Amino acid sequence: MSNSPSSISAQALAIHSRFGIELAFVVPNEDTGLLPINSFFMELEDLANTDMPELLVKSISKGREWLNETFEGTMTFSEKTITHLNEWHGWFGEALSAWETSKNLPPHPAGWESTGSTPFDSTAESPTAGAHNEVSVEEKAIELNLKEDAELLHEFHSESIDALQSIEQGLLVLEENPSDSGTINSIFRAFHTFKGAAGFLRLIALQDLAHDLESLLDAARQSKIKITTPIVDIILAGSDALKKYTFQIGLQLKGTNAGAPIVVPTSHIIQRVRAALRGDLPPTAPPPPQVDPAVPDPLAEDPAPDPTTSEEPKPHASPSETALKVIPQKRGPLNTIEVNVTHLMPTPTASKEQSAVKEQSSGFVKLDTAKLDALIDLVGELVIAQSMVVQDPSIQNLESRNLARSLRQLSRTTSELQRNAMSLRMVPVRSAFQKMGRLVRDISAQQKKQVQLVLDGEETELDRNIVEKLSDPLVHMIRNAVDHGLESPEERVANGKSPLGTVRLSASHQRGGILIRIQDDGKGLNAKKILAKGIERGLVSPTAELTESEIYNIVFMPGFSTAETITDLSGRGVGMDVVKRNIESLRGKVEIQSVLGKGSTFTILLPLTLAIIDGLMVGIGNDRYIIPTISVRESFRPKVGMVTSIHERGAVVSVRGRQTPVLRLGEFLGTEGIKAKNYEDGIIIVVESGDDMRGILVDELIGKQEVVIKSMGETFKDQHLLAGAAVLGDGSVGLILDVDTLVNL
Amino acid sequence: MTTKISTDNKLKTGRYLTFSLGNESYGIPVLNVREIIRLCPITPVPRMPTHIKGVINLRGTVIAVLDLRAKFQLALGDYGDRACIIVVQLNGPEGTKTLMGAIVDAVEEVVQLRDDSIEPAPDFGGSPDTQYIMGVTTCTGSVKTLLDIEKIFLDDASITRALPDGISREAARLGTRNATASNVAESNLLATGK
């Protein structure tokens, strides 16, 4: 925590300005911007934990209070909240600049103090706040939306088990060594992450409790309170309550009592936490309130989990996962990957005790991705070493049947090992896609539109890093598609369309990359309006002659999206520059196709970076190149007369009735020792990119091979001829041609 | 410990790896050297400057290999038995690390040099170009040229594009690339006349 005030205020200012942009889009009775604003407050809360003037901290708590009201209420912004937030935004900006210049902070605007109507009193929000009134906290029930959120809940469940376990361990350390600030911080962060995740799933009761516990640890962090055994007891009780919730969520996910509200008494804990924050800790813990008999309480009252007392509803459901599978981890600061090890666990025994323990284990191991990468590279080396051994002349001269069998066995095992290792990094794009279902549901309900989201190619596997980074741009684009792309049901019917709008989200391997398409059947982009807006904003010169696609690309320009665009129906510019930047940071590109009145398609083409591709190995002279099989349409040995020259400069070959230009690859690349001087001596490989095709003349086809794409590094960043490199079986490097470039020469 | 050489004070006490190119002797800071490997088959990358020899597989990582003789416009020739590849690690902006290889004729030794034993690069009045030279030193009986390894490699590692003037340079490079690509394509097609 060596942040200087100036860096904190600079960070806060940055959040403040992004906040302002998001705030501009907030509309009464809609939830646009709710999640971003929530995350801004979370960021600010993180900053507030550093070293911020109390008045600022308080104002952040205040904002959080309004936001919590919204979360607990209609989930949409009320007029009052918007006024408050705008007022807050103005004040906060002033206060920040005052702080930066070491002036006195302006006082809070009037009316801020009187809004504390949530059960969440400011006492809890800010440990230093003066209000000390005891609030009676109702026991809140949580209800799970198993259908919509199953995937997220699963993830939440397994993450929570880990988080709570590490919290518990941390607390035990803390009891021994109360001043261990590292441990306090890590417990604090664990609660914070938990709170965020619970908030995202709208598990309000969990979020509230985690929040209170977080405040307590925060106070400890700032040495406002001392960690004593009673404090540790309270936190343990709190984490036990969270554990009970998690356990119930786990049960429901397995189908027990699905859909039933979950109540775990937490009010006594919350009260104790608040008492502790005020410094008047009761000498003994109050008697725990009676437990709702309807809810099985697996952990009883004892803070130490005692599985034998649990009412075991069912033996552990047999794991359905058989393959080693990786799911991406979305939240949490660690760069880790989770590996499902369910199938590695022994089958559940009948013993109640053991199965109760199993209920709590998540079947995932968290791994540092660096370790995983190292493993993958080493396996690659192993495969190469293996093939070197097998192909060694002295071994090949040994005529031993036994040895041959053993070598075959070795080859099989190593290639199996390699396949497994490769698959560790690849995750289906499903998790990123399924989150969109929720988004579409929320936006369409809020805008009273009828929208169906069609997902396609969810099983397409992508490098997990890409899947993770894809989420944000997808949210933006899907939101735009529903928000601005699709018309209201009435308008659709008037235009002769079905009232039900469709947004199609698909993923596929194509064009030597991964193609993600967001397609809507809405009204399409209005090129004229976009151009007018672009000129008005000074993004394009009024005299410029632009093609349609150039006009569409204006929406990606920074500065195109402004507050007015969302009232303007043509506007699709909400954060599209950010979308483009995000995708470009993955070295991908975005394209727009649109037909006015029919709909728009946003196409994201992502590079292969670590994807495995099927490659066609071709030879030219002494060199070998790999062409991604996916872009290859066909290949043939041309007969005399099949290739026609045009103007003596170009050559075309007829491919299924289409005259296709032919490129002599060897000459184009400047390869030495080209064998195919005439077309008839070589092989023409027809490749395609989008709708365009080109024949490529090579000397020979060497074979088909699955290769792992490796980045060629900074040196070759500017060339577009090669899509990457691959380590071949003999340990040498093969170059992968970029078909797009070859086709669009 | 940082491997970054500060730009204002290039001449630094420290350990240097010396190697030979032809009859000349050069040195680079040991801190940048990751490892030294035997000369192995290098996959040539088409349409690259001659001093970019190609790429190799360094235990699963593909790295670019430079030919230092070509880079300094020395006489080219076959590599001898003692030729090897020095793998250097370069620290780019934002903590990115790039590995690159350089082919040298032979690795000599590691020497400890002090600030006062290093003289600034002599001025030849234009040729040869001294922009890659950090200084010269005399040790173990011969004069060794100390190279500014980061400058040599960053030139090719295109990390320099993060600098302010990078954008225009990239644009210029892109422009020329497209032009040459289409020219070559055309001339190739020309050559195909049958």
Side-chain angles (χ1 to χ4, degrees):
Chain A
M1 286 294 137
S2 60
N3 280 343
S4 68
S6 65
S7 90
I8 298 169
S9 70
Q11 289 174 48
L13 262 176
I15 300 170
H16 176 260
S17 77
R18 282 189 289 146
F19 191 104
I21 297 169
E22 204 57 52
L23 198 59
F25 293 107
V26 169
V27 183
N29 303 323
E30 285 189 18
D31 72 353
T32 319
L34 188 55
L35 291 178
I37 287 182
N38 184 40
S39 82
F40 292 146
F41 270 115
M42 279 168 73
E43 284 177 47
L44 285 172
E45 277 157 1
D46 281 346
L47 285 179
N49 289 323
T50 48
D51 194 11
M52 215 183 237
E54 204 177 319
L55 216 50
L56 285 172
V57 177
K58 270 191 191 173
S59 81
I60 295 170
S61 314
K62 208 70 211 168
R64 162 61 63 199
E65 221 172 291
W66 297 324
L67 214 57
N68 277 353
E69 279 174 42
T70 313
F71 270 120
E72 279 156 39
T74 52
M75 288 298 290
T76 57
F77 286 107
S78 70
E79 219 125 54
K80 193 172 133 209
T81 312
I82 297 176
T83 323
H84 275 312
L85 285 176
N86 276 313
E87 204 174 74
W88 179 90
H89 184 249
W91 180 86
F92 197 71
E94 263 177 56
L96 272 182
S97 45
W99 181 34
E100 221 171 19
T101 51
S102 311
K103 288 195 193 113
N104 281 338
L105 300 188
H108 285 178
W112 278 18
E113 308 306 332
S114 59
T115 52
S117 59
T118 46
F120 249 123
D121 180 75
S122 56
T123 329
E125 295 296 326
S126 159
T128 50
H132 278 187
N133 52 324
E134 192 70 65
V135 202
S136 74
V137 184
E138 271 180 47
E139 303 294 359
K140 274 177 251 169
I142 58 165
E143 281 181 50
L144 307 180
N145 193 338
L146 288 168
K147 230 167 119 190
E148 306 274 349
D149 294 339
E151 187 105 344
L152 293 172
L153 281 167
H154 266 296
E155 210 173 290
F156 175 73
H157 178 244
S158 67
E159 268 174 32
S160 302
I161 290 170
D162 287 350
L164 291 171
Q165 209 149 44
S166 65
I167 287 172
E168 206 173 280
Q169 280 161 1
L171 283 168
L172 299 179
V173 172
L174 218 51
E175 205 165 20
E176 295 286 305
N177 184 5
S179 55
D180 184 347
S181 62
T183 311
I184 297 178
N185 274 327
S186 73
I187 301 175
F188 170 81
R189 275 196 301 272
F191 274 123
H192 188 77
T193 313
F194 186 93
K195 180 180 85 171
F200 186 74
L201 284 161
R202 302 188 193 168
L203 306 173
I204 303 295
L206 274 76
Q207 188 189 5
D208 287 357
L209 181 56
H211 177 87
D212 274 12
L213 294 167
E214 185 192 325
S215 316
L216 190 59
L217 280 156
D218 188 37
R221 226 156 71 127
Q222 298 173 13
S223 310
K224 287 188 184 127
I225 59 165
K226 268 176 88 174
I227 298 281
T228 54
T229 309
I231 299 268
V232 172
D233 281 346
I234 295 173
I235 304 173
L236 272 177
S239 83
D240 280 345
L242 294 176
K243 231 185 216 167
K244 287 175 200 168
Y245 272 119
T246 312
F247 179 79
Q248 293 294 337
I249 293 172
L251 283 187
Q252 294 209 359
L253 282 171
K254 296 205 175 78
T256 314
N257 280 336
I262 301 173
V263 185
V264 175
T266 55
S267 60
H268 64 290
I269 301 170
I270 293 181
Q271 275 169 17
R272 280 166 70 193
V273 170
R274 294 183 186 179
L277 278 169
R278 289 197 302 271
D280 54 351
L281 191 69
T284 50
Q290 65 219 52
V291 180
D292 186 348
V295 180
D297 184 357
L299 304 170
E301 316 301 329
D302 192 342
D306 182 1
T308 48
T309 61
S310 69
E311 288 178 45
E312 190 48 51
K314 254 189 191 177
H316 181 60
S318 71
S320 56
E321 315 286 343
T322 47
L324 197 62
K325 189 180 135 196
V326 178
I327 67 163
Q329 186 211 8
K330 263 159 238 94
R331 285 173 292 272
L334 283 170
N335 190 20
T336 59
I337 196 163
E338 290 182 4
V339 180
N340 191 333
V341 292
T342 329
H343 72 298
L344 296 176
M345 295 179 353
T347 37
T349 62
S351 152
K352 267 191 170 185
E353 237 171 286
Q354 284 198 7
S355 49
V357 172
K358 279 205 178 73
E359 289 291 355
Q360 289 295 304
S361 76
S362 61
F364 291 99
V365 180
K366 281 192 179 167
L367 281 181
D368 191 328
T369 38
K371 286 188 184 170
L372 206 57
D373 291 344
L375 173 76
I376 291 170
D377 281 346
L378 281 175
V379 170
E381 285 305 299
L382 178 68
V383 172
I384 291 161
Q386 173 261 331
S387 71
M388 266 155 45
V389 169
V390 171
Q391 285 162 20
D392 193 282
S394 44
I395 286 204
Q396 291 198 326
N397 289 338
L398 293 173
E399 284 185 15
S400 154
R401 198 171 285 178
N402 246 339
L403 178 68
R405 202 177 307 132
S406 306
L407 286 177
R408 268 202 304 280
Q409 173 80 12
L410 177 66
S411 306
R412 255 202 308 277
T413 314
T414 39
S415 64
E416 189 68 18
L417 179 65
Q418 188 187 28
R419 238 198 315 282
N420 263 317
M422 289 312 173
S423 70
L424 290 179
R425 272 196 76 105
M426 304 295 283
V427 299
V429 75
R430 182 177 296 117
S431 60
F433 273 24
Q434 282 184 345
K435 264 199 245 163
M436 304 303 140
R438 171 65 183 271
L439 182 76
V440 168
R441 187 189 65 171
D442 288 0
I443 307 173
S444 56
Q446 168 208 120
Q447 302 210 342
K448 308 201 171 46
K449 284 178 182 169
Q450 297 174 23
V451 186
Q452 60 168 340
L453 178 70
V454 181
L455 299 181
D456 201 13
E458 296 153 271
E459 67 290 342
T460 309
E461 290 205 326
L462 267 176
D463 193 82
R464 61 174 278 279
N465 292 333
I466 298 184
V467 173
E468 259 171 32
K469 286 181 189 143
L470 199 59
S471 211
D472 280 355
L474 277 186
V475 166
H476 262 294
M477 296 172 90
I478 294 273
R479 190 197 301 187
N480 276 338
V482 178
D483 201 359
H484 306 300
L486 295 177
E487 315 90 329
S488 63
E490 301 78 34
E491 206 178 315
R492 289 180 66 87
V493 171
N495 289 328
K497 290 181 183 175
S498 142
L500 181 68
T502 304
V503 176
R504 186 179 296 273
L505 180 58
S506 62
S508 57
H509 285 274
Q510 245 182 61
R511 284 203 247 160
I514 285 125
L515 201 66
I516 293 179
R517 233 187 221 127
I518 299 125
Q519 207 169 0
D520 67 63
D521 64 348
K523 54 181 167 284
L525 295 176
N526 188 331
K528 267 190 210 143
K529 282 197 183 174
I530 294 173
L531 185 60
K533 177 90 23 187
I535 292 170
E536 184 194 315
R537 305 232 169 275
L539 300 172
V540 279
S541 114
T543 54
E545 285 191 22
L546 299 176
T547 64
E548 200 147 86
S549 67
E550 281 169 335
I551 293 174
Y552 294 152
N553 280 330
I554 297 175
V555 304
F556 291 123
M557 288 188 178
F560 180 79
S561 50
T562 64
E564 290 109 277
T565 49
I566 79 149
T567 53
D568 182 340
L569 290 178
S570 73
R572 266 209 165 190
V574 185
M576 287 310 270
D577 57 324
V578 181
V579 168
K580 189 168 190 201
R581 258 211 314 280
N582 280 344
I583 289 168
E584 278 173 354
S585 75
L586 296 171
R587 291 173 64 204
K589 45 189 173 184
V590 210
E591 288 163 10
I592 307 177
Q593 289 102 40
S594 179
V595 179
L596 197 59
K598 290 273 170 60
S600 325
T601 304
F602 285 72
T603 309
I604 305 174
L605 183 67
L606 292 169
L608 311 145
T609 28
L610 223 138
I612 304 169
I613 57 150
D614 250 339
L616 199 60
M617 179 102 67
V618 300
I620 308 157
N622 298 321
D623 294 347
R624 289 177 298 177
Y625 290 96
I626 298 160
I627 300 177
T629 316
I630 203 95
S631 331
V632 175
R633 246 188 106 132
E634 59 188 281
S635 62
F636 55 87
R637 185 177 287 278
K639 296 199 182 70
V640 180
M642 272 176 84
V643 181
T644 322
S645 68
I646 293 179
H647 283 328
E648 293 189 346
R649 265 170 291 175
V652 292
V653 64
S654 169
V655 179
R656 297 180 195 200
R658 238 171 100 179
Q659 295 302 328
T660 310
V662 179
L663 172 75
R664 299 178 71 107
L665 189 62
E667 275 119 13
F668 177 67
L669 297 177
T671 314
E672 285 166 21
I674 302 166
K675 287 175 216 130
K677 298 269 189 272
N678 298 319
Y679 289 104
E680 302 82 69
D681 302 335
I683 294 204
I684 289 183
I685 296 168
V686 180
V687 293
E688 59 185 354
S689 158
D691 292 333
D692 299 322
M693 294 199 296
R694 191 179 278 265
I696 290 176
L697 181 73
V698 299
D699 285 356
E700 54 179 338
L701 283 182
I702 296 172
K704 252 175 99 165
Q705 198 174 356
E706 245 188 13
V707 294
V708 182
I709 305 256
K710 305 247 175 188
S711 154
M712 295 186 58
E714 292 285 326
T715 317
F716 304 104
K717 215 164 97 185
D718 276 346
Q719 60 81 33
H720 299 262
L721 203 58
L722 302 170
V727 177
L728 303 178
D730 60 359
S732 69
V733 179
L735 301 176
I736 302 166
L737 293 170
D738 188 330
V739 171
D740 276 347
T741 310
L742 292 180
V743 171
N744 299 314
L745 280 174
Chain B
M1 182 170 72
T2 168
T3 54
K4 184 97 190 139
I5 300 168
S6 62
T7 36
D8 44 68
N9 183 18
K10 293 266 185 190
L11 308 177
K12 251 195 168 170
T13 299
R15 278 135 76 84
Y16 287 78
L17 175 75
T18 64
F19 55 87
S20 66
L21 291 177
N23 299 324
E24 295 168 354
S25 183
Y26 293 87
I28 56 170
V30 155
L31 286 178
N32 285 87
V33 177
R34 266 288 288 272
E35 61 186 287
I36 297 164
I37 54 174
R38 274 209 337 249
L39 196 58
C40 58
I42 299 171
T43 306
V45 177
R47 311 182 64 154
M48 280 285 152
T50 45
H51 68 270
I52 297 184
K53 205 70 189 158
V55 287
I56 58 166
N57 164 28
L58 183 74
R59 286 189 305 284
T61 310
V62 175
I63 67 170
V65 176
L66 305 190
D67 184 342
L68 282 187
R69 278 203 245 169
K71 178 83 183 172
F72 301 141
Q73 292 155 23
L74 310 180
L76 297 180
D78 284 342
Y79 301 110
D81 289 345
R82 297 184 62 205
C84 53
I85 299 175
I86 301 178
V87 179
V88 297
Q89 177 172 318
L90 304 155
N91 302 300
E94 299 148 26
T96 52
K97 290 192 167 43
T98 307
L99 291 180
M100 288 182 95
I103 309 174
V104 300
D105 284 338
V107 169
E108 291 170 353
E109 59 184 336
V110 174
V111 292
Q112 173 78 34
L113 295 179
R114 293 216 333 265
D115 265 351
D116 51 23
S117 65
I118 305 173
E119 293 163 51
D123 188 355
F124 299 103
S127 178
D129 190 357
T130 56
Q131 60 164 326
Y132 301 124
I133 300 176
M134 233 164 63
V136 289
T137 188
T138 313
C139 70
T140 52
S142 68
V143 176
K144 297 180 194 304
T145 310
L146 302 181
L147 296 173
D148 185 344
I149 195 75
E150 305 221 335
K151 189 153 191 195
I152 294 170
F153 284 90
L154 291 187
D155 242 17
D156 290 307
S158 44
I159 294 171
T160 39
R161 248 178 285 115
L163 300 173
D165 72 345
I167 300 151
S168 55
R169 262 175 58 186
E170 185 183 16
R173 208 179 298 182
L174 266 172
T176 43
R177 187 195 66 83
N178 285 337
T180 42
S182 53
N183 287 345
V184 175
E186 210 176 82
S187 60
N188 280 329
L189 291 172
L190 254 168
T192 63
K194 220 181 87 70

